[in-house]
Amino acid sequence: MIAELRAAVMRADLERLGRYDEYRVRQRLRDSFSPQHTSVIMVRGEFAGCVTVRPAEDRLWLEHFYLVPHCQGRGLGSAVLRTVLQRADAQGVTVGLNVLQGSAARRLYERHGFVVEAEDPVDVFMMRPPGVRAGIPADA
């Protein structure tokens, strides 16, 4: 179910970047899926998406954060992200992620204090140190 959601949600951005592959878009999730670090998002008893928060050496990695299309743009993503960031702040840990170049999701992350660490032609790597308030850049 999550692999299918990933394929649907990422299709437009991957096609725009000339990188959509019907098989690979699902296999990349299967290759990196971490069930012990993944939460399923439910709304009124219905599957609404998922998010993975995987511990790494110096940070938590926010991965596989997908919402079904009819749940996007309604504040659910911000609510989930606030919860993830509150938990990371309580641990005093930086959160890192990558988002596709040109993805609308980048604006969500920027609103919550993420800043660009690096980028390449396909991905933008972002991070948010602990304690950064939403809407205020980390370097302010």
Side-chain angles (χ1 to χ4, degrees):
M1 184 182 316
I2 293 172
E4 291 306 312
L5 176 59
R6 179 180 198 273
V9 169
M10 294 189 69
R11 184 174 191 137
D13 283 331
L14 288 169
E15 285 178 341
R16 180 180 41 75
L17 294 168
R19 301 191 53 96
Y20 185 80
D21 177 284
E22 193 75 32
Y23 173 78
R24 188 170 178 209
V25 71
R26 291 167 177 83
Q27 193 58 44
R28 288 200 63 184
L29 177 115
R30 291 179 185 115
D31 290 345
S32 64
F33 188 65
S34 177
Q36 68 272 29
H37 302 295
T38 300
S39 297
V40 171
I41 301 162
M42 303 292 286
V43 174
R44 291 190 235 29
E46 299 287 324
F47 175 71
C50 63
V51 63
T52 299
V53 182
R54 182 181 51 81
E57 281 183 29
D58 64 340
R59 63 185 60 191
L60 295 172
W61 277 101
L62 179 66
E63 302 172 320
H64 306 305
F65 186 14
Y66 312 117
L67 295 177
V68 296
H70 70 270
C71 289
Q72 295 174 13
R74 298 178 176 201
L76 179 59
S78 286
V80 170
L81 189 53
R82 273 192 306 274
T83 299
V84 168
L85 296 175
Q86 288 168 353
R87 291 176 183 168
D89 287 350
Q91 297 173 36
V93 180
T94 294
V95 178
L97 60 85
N98 69 294
V99 63
L100 290 172
Q101 287 283 4
S103 172
R106 179 175 173 172
R107 290 189 304 274
L108 169 70
Y109 300 129
E110 289 172 338
R111 283 194 312 269
H112 288 272
F114 283 84
V115 295
V116 174
E117 268 189 311
E119 53 188 301
D120 62 31
V122 176
D123 291 304
V124 178
F125 297 89
M126 304 180 81
M127 58 81 73
R128 180 196 169 272
V132 172
R133 293 181 308 197
I136 298 174
D139 56 1

